[in-house]
Amino acid sequence: MGPSERQKKILRAIVEDYVRTAEPVSSKAISQLPELNYSSATIRNEMAALTDLGLLEQPHTSAGRVPSALGYRLYVNELMQDYRLSTDETKSLNQAMEMKMAQADKVISQIGKLVSQLTDLPAYAVRSHVQQLSVKRFDFIGAGTQSIILVVMLSSDEIKNKLIRLPLVITDHDLKLLGAVLNASLAGIPASGFTPELIDRITKNAGDAASLVPIVVDFVADLLQAQQHSEVFLTGQNRLLSQPEFHDIDKAQQMLTTLDEDIISNLPATIGGNGTQILVGPEDISKELRDTSVVMTQFDIGEGMKGMIGVVGPTRMDYAKVTARLSYFAEGLAKMFGTSELPPSETDKEDS
Amino acid sequence: MGPSERQKKILRAIVEDYVRTAEPVSSKAISQLPELNYSSATIRNEMAALTDLGLLEQPHTSAGRVPSALGYRLYVNELMQDYRLSTDETKSLNQAMEMKMAQADKVISQIGKLVSQLTDLPAYAVRSHVQQLSVKRFDFIGAGTQSIILVVMLSSDEIKNKLIRLPLVITDHDLKLLGAVLNASLAGIPASGFTPELIDRITKNAGDAASLVPIVVDFVADLLQAQQHSEVFLTGQNRLLSQPEFHDIDKAQQMLTTLDEDIISNLPATIGGNGTQILVGPEDISKELRDTSVVMTQFDIGEGMKGMIGVVGPTRMDYAKVTARLSYFAEGLAKMFGTSELPPSETDKEDS
DNA sequence: CTTTAGCACTCGGGGATATTGAGTGCTAAA
DNA sequence: TTTAGCACTCAATATCCCCGAGTGCTAAAG
């Protein structure tokens, strides 16, 4: 049987107090709240019940109570009140987002920094491709007799390029031929489809430009690989140190390295749930991370790409506030990357 | 009057012992070294002298000695022995460098990570332009009727691009015209030279493509600005926490934030000295940073760009080793970016 | 004049011990 | 069902003391 309404109210009060103070919460503190006007003894009884239900924990016999992982779960699922962004906050959020984010991959790392600043916690940002990438079209631009520029447009509509210094002089005509052959044979094919036979055939058809084929193919293959592999940006680690739970250097370091290693490599895989997710440390990530939680939000970037921003903090963190900021941000971003409505003056700006 | 030879020898021993142990060095410890076979009393006398010279310090009356900032300075300038990289080390350094560093700006951040790993300290990497950038040439590629790709080659030989969705249909002919006009009027001109009059003249000459002019110009102007502004990558902050001097959380945090703020913003400006430089904390950076030093090395990337890699660590760090690794690395990089010898198969790989 | 042995003195670190006070659980009365 | 009251627990803090590493100085030896 679950907790009573009053018990939930108390639980909520405890979580919120704990979030504020980072100290175990006493019955007295709760009994003094205007909305819970009972004596400390009454609260104590209820707290004992909540402890039996596994929603609270006691660091030691004569200390106050602290929410357990289960307690947090209940809190974030049912009890948490939407945090209302103040107009000041929305203003600064908007301002932050309006910042010129010059290049597409820079955007994602900028976002990380912003989120970190706004929550005063470490944050990370991920961009990951959910579809197999391929090249949509190839173009060559002559750049003097000694070099040409290869420009490829990916299926994600990103454009990448490479300057190729020529080992020999190649005529415009040959270049056109090569372009045509490549467009005919490689367009739409993901890196996994680059079989030796295919390459062979292309080389045969490429005429005098045959010597360029391996260079181009290697470049494209590398590119597709590299893009596939998603990127994670992590910033603001130092902000974690101001949290009291990490005043223990060892914990702090363990935390930071886990951040660097685990989170970075595992979280992209976690991508899949939708909207804002809250991972409560020991429950959802790893038992060692007693005091760590992650709040993350995903959003669509369109063109087969997803983005994700997340905040890492003490299990005791202000979920409501963090969540609010995060989703507001994610909405803004989704709009910014807006899949459909592209006003002609605000075209995509891509960089390879 | 400077220290005697014997005093220097003692100073060197003290620095090196302190680097190893992170504990104040006692006269006894020194007197036991085979190369300084004096009684502890003798050493004590000399140590007292070195203290008078300001080269050593005493944390408190009955503790051993610790090198002062001045002491370190003398050490790194005169006393430090070249650290010989073992073959194992060179091997792993080479291996690390051979790693595919797919894109030009990625390279620089990868380097940071590598250096951090190899020194087990936080490291940063900077790429900065020393010359005013301009565009070398403009090209357009049609991509369907609704969009075109603008490709610009910068004076640094980097290539950037932008996908432009067209508000209207533009003929190939118009596009060629626009390209010609831009190449004629904007090539070689830095952003600062984009005067309203110039833009005006271009727009007049652009015929039917006039509506594209502002888009292109804005893009280019932004681009040149953004590139000018140098980028700093900092990684491995957590490694600092394993150093005993930062077991004090407050120090650690102060350090980390200073890292984030000061170093990041100020060091690029410091670019200018040549070769490997050692900045001893309180002396060269800021008085607050009692325990922090920076070792940094610059190298030429060619094409009006400079790179810099640096390591941040406790003032007590193994300067010899760090310096060795750093310069080895810098050499390798300079070679890699090698200005002149570009084997045709290993062309520049640029990304915009 | 330089080196060294000897000795008194200093002072931080660590361990043991006492003290405090916040908080609990339980009981009995309202 | 709520509350007042009280005994009890235990982490955190303060206090004290001792240990020993290390120094500075002096006086003797080289």
Side-chain angles (χ1 to χ4, degrees):
Chain A
M1 191 206 61
S4 71
E5 277 314 307
R6 190 170 72 175
Q7 285 168 351
K8 283 189 189 170
K9 224 168 143 187
I10 291 174
L11 175 60
R12 195 180 117 206
I14 290 176
V15 171
E16 281 165 9
D17 191 84
Y18 184 57
V19 161
R20 249 195 25 257
T21 63
E23 305 259 292
V25 184
S26 73
S27 52
K28 196 169 148 209
I30 298 300
S31 75
Q32 278 163 352
L33 294 176
E35 71 270 28
L36 281 164
N37 203 3
Y38 301 92
S39 81
S40 65
T42 310
I43 303 293
R44 270 205 294 285
N45 287 333
E46 295 290 48
M47 276 161 77
L50 285 167
T51 308
D52 287 342
L53 287 170
L55 298 170
L56 292 181
E57 278 169 0
Q58 230 173 344
H60 55 265
T61 335
S62 78
R65 299 299 209 292
V66 162
S68 70
L70 218 66
Y72 280 117
R73 232 320 65 96
L74 186 70
Y75 175 75
V76 297
N77 288 350
E78 294 189 36
L79 275 27
M80 186 166 82
Q81 295 224 300
D82 281 355
Y83 178 87
R84 299 198 56 113
L85 296 170
S86 72
T87 45
D88 260 19
E89 282 172 315
T90 46
K91 212 190 286 173
S92 68
L93 280 166
N94 283 331
Q95 227 170 30
M97 284 201 298
E98 267 166 32
M99 257 188 52
K100 263 188 208 143
M101 315 221 207
Q103 287 133 311
D105 18 346
K106 301 279 156 55
V107 174
I108 208 86
S109 76
Q110 286 294 343
I111 290 167
K113 276 191 200 142
L114 276 177
V115 172
S116 168
Q117 268 174 35
L118 290 169
T119 57
D120 204 33
L121 286 172
Y124 62 89
V126 185
R127 180 177 68 152
S128 87
H129 295 265
V130 293
Q131 296 170 358
Q132 280 239 312
L133 276 176
S134 61
V135 172
K136 225 177 197 173
R137 49 177 288 162
F138 295 81
D139 285 284
F140 290 98
I141 300 176
T145 50
Q146 281 303 305
S147 31
I148 55 173
I149 300 170
L150 164 63
V151 180
V152 298
M153 182 190 261
L154 303 185
S155 51
S156 60
D157 271 6
E158 280 171 295
I159 299 163
K160 305 278 170 174
N161 57 53
K162 176 184 166 75
L163 180 66
I164 301 179
R165 316 250 163 172
L166 293 178
L168 51 126
V169 178
I170 288 196
T171 64
D172 264 12
H173 174 264
D174 287 333
L175 228 45
K176 279 220 179 88
L177 173 64
L178 179 60
V181 174
L182 287 172
N183 276 314
S185 336
L186 277 188
I189 308 219
S192 55
F194 288 16
T195 57
E197 300 85 58
L198 182 59
I199 310 300
D200 223 48
R201 217 176 56 229
I202 296 172
T203 314
K204 283 216 185 78
N205 292 331
D208 285 347
S211 60
L212 288 183
V213 172
I215 300 181
V216 173
V217 171
D218 276 2
F219 169 66
V220 172
D222 278 5
L223 194 62
L224 293 179
Q225 297 290 356
Q227 291 290 306
Q228 198 68 50
H229 173 265
S230 55
E231 305 166 281
V232 181
F233 301 89
L234 178 65
T235 45
Q237 291 99 316
N238 53 322
R239 299 184 206 269
L240 209 56
L241 294 187
S242 52
Q243 302 297 335
E245 29 270 279
F246 298 109
H247 256 51
D248 176 359
I249 265 280
D250 290 330
K251 258 189 204 155
Q253 205 188 351
Q254 195 208 353
M255 168 70 226
L256 281 181
T257 23
T258 319
L259 253 188
D260 255 8
E261 291 161 15
D262 285 23
I263 309 253
I264 290 281
S265 45
N266 295 337
L267 278 201
T270 318
I271 242 178
N274 234 326
T276 304
Q277 276 182 292
I278 298 184
L279 307 180
V280 180
E283 204 190 59
D284 303 304
I285 314 180
S286 122
K287 263 191 230 118
E288 278 106 68
L289 293 180
R290 282 209 110 300
D291 309 300
T292 311
S293 294
V294 174
V295 179
M296 63 188 204
T297 282
Q298 310 178 239
F299 51 96
D300 230 318
I301 315 191
E303 315 287 0
M305 282 168 51
K306 287 211 164 197
M308 179 164 99
I309 48 182
V311 172
V312 182
T315 303
R316 164 205 70 78
M317 70 176 149
D318 193 335
Y319 291 102
K321 203 194 263 179
V322 170
T323 311
R325 299 230 165 117
L326 220 49
S327 6
Y328 187 82
F329 229 99
E331 263 169 54
L333 286 171
K335 232 177 266 162
M336 194 179 123
F337 282 109
T339 28
S340 35
E341 346 81 295
L342 277 170
S345 60
E346 245 315 78
T347 49
D348 296 341
K349 190 174 287 182
E350 315 264 343
D351 71 345
S352 81
Chain B
M1 190 206 61
S4 71
E5 277 316 306
R6 190 171 71 175
Q7 285 169 349
K8 284 189 189 172
K9 224 168 144 187
I10 291 174
L11 175 61
R12 194 179 117 206
I14 290 177
V15 171
E16 280 164 10
D17 190 84
Y18 183 59
V19 161
R20 249 196 25 258
T21 62
E23 305 259 292
V25 183
S26 73
S27 52
K28 198 170 149 208
I30 298 300
S31 76
Q32 277 164 352
L33 293 176
E35 71 269 28
L36 281 164
N37 203 3
Y38 301 91
S39 81
S40 66
T42 310
I43 303 293
R44 269 205 294 285
N45 287 333
E46 295 290 47
M47 276 162 75
L50 285 166
T51 308
D52 287 342
L53 287 169
L55 297 169
L56 293 180
E57 279 169 1
Q58 231 173 342
H60 55 265
T61 337
S62 79
R65 298 300 209 290
V66 162
S68 71
L70 218 66
Y72 280 117
R73 220 344 42 107
L74 186 69
Y75 175 75
V76 299
N77 287 350
E78 293 189 37
L79 274 29
M80 185 167 81
Q81 296 224 301
D82 281 355
Y83 177 86
R84 299 197 57 111
L85 295 170
S86 72
T87 45
D88 260 18
E89 283 173 315
T90 45
K91 215 190 283 173
S92 68
L93 280 166
N94 283 332
Q95 231 170 27
M97 283 201 299
E98 267 165 30
M99 259 188 52
K100 262 188 209 143
M101 314 220 209
Q103 288 132 311
D105 17 347
K106 301 279 155 56
V107 174
I108 207 87
S109 76
Q110 286 295 343
I111 290 167
K113 278 192 198 140
L114 276 176
V115 173
S116 168
Q117 268 174 35
L118 291 168
T119 56
D120 204 33
L121 287 173
Y124 63 88
V126 186
R127 180 177 68 152
S128 89
H129 295 265
V130 292
Q131 295 171 358
Q132 280 240 311
L133 276 176
S134 62
V135 172
K136 224 179 195 171
R137 48 177 289 162
F138 295 82
D139 285 284
F140 291 98
I141 301 176
T145 50
Q146 281 304 305
S147 29
I148 54 173
I149 300 170
L150 164 61
V151 180
V152 299
M153 185 191 258
L154 303 185
S155 50
S156 61
D157 270 5
E158 282 171 295
I159 299 163
K160 305 278 171 176
N161 57 54
K162 176 185 168 75
L163 180 67
I164 301 179
R165 317 248 164 175
L166 293 177
L168 49 127
V169 178
I170 288 196
T171 63
D172 264 14
H173 173 264
D174 287 332
L175 227 46
K176 278 220 180 88
L177 173 64
L178 178 59
V181 174
L182 287 171
N183 275 314
S185 335
L186 277 189
I189 308 218
S192 55
F194 287 17
T195 57
E197 299 86 58
L198 183 58
I199 311 300
D200 223 47
R201 217 178 54 228
I202 295 172
T203 313
K204 285 215 184 80
N205 291 331
D208 286 348
S211 60
L212 288 183
V213 172
I215 302 181
V216 174
V217 171
D218 275 2
F219 169 67
V220 172
D222 278 5
L223 195 62
L224 294 179
Q225 297 290 354
Q227 290 290 308
Q228 198 68 50
H229 173 263
S230 55
E231 305 166 283
V232 181
F233 300 91
L234 178 65
T235 46
Q237 293 98 317
N238 54 324
R239 300 185 205 271
L240 210 56
L241 294 188
S242 51
Q243 303 295 337
E245 29 270 278
F246 297 109
H247 257 50
D248 176 0
I249 266 278
D250 290 330
K251 258 191 206 154
Q253 205 190 351
Q254 194 209 355
M255 168 71 227
L256 282 181
T257 24
T258 318
L259 253 187
D260 255 8
E261 293 162 14
D262 285 23
I263 310 254
I264 290 280
S265 46
N266 295 336
L267 278 201
T270 319
I271 244 179
N274 234 326
T276 304
Q277 276 181 291
I278 297 183
L279 306 181
V280 180
E283 202 190 62
D284 303 305
I285 314 180
S286 119
K287 264 193 227 116
E288 279 105 69
L289 292 179
R290 282 209 109 298
D291 308 300
T292 310
S293 294
V294 174
V295 179
M296 63 188 203
T297 283
Q298 311 178 236
F299 50 96
D300 229 317
I301 315 189
E303 316 287 357
M305 281 168 53
K306 287 212 166 197
M308 177 163 101
I309 47 181
V311 172
V312 183
T315 304
R316 165 204 69 79
M317 71 175 150
D318 193 335
Y319 292 101
K321 205 195 261 180
V322 169
T323 311
R325 299 230 164 118
L326 219 49
S327 5
Y328 187 82
F329 228 98
E331 263 169 54
L333 286 170
K335 234 177 263 164
M336 195 180 122
F337 282 108
T339 28
S340 35
E341 347 81 297
L342 278 172
S345 59
E346 245 315 79
T347 49
D348 295 342
K349 190 175 285 180
E350 314 263 344
D351 73 345
S352 83

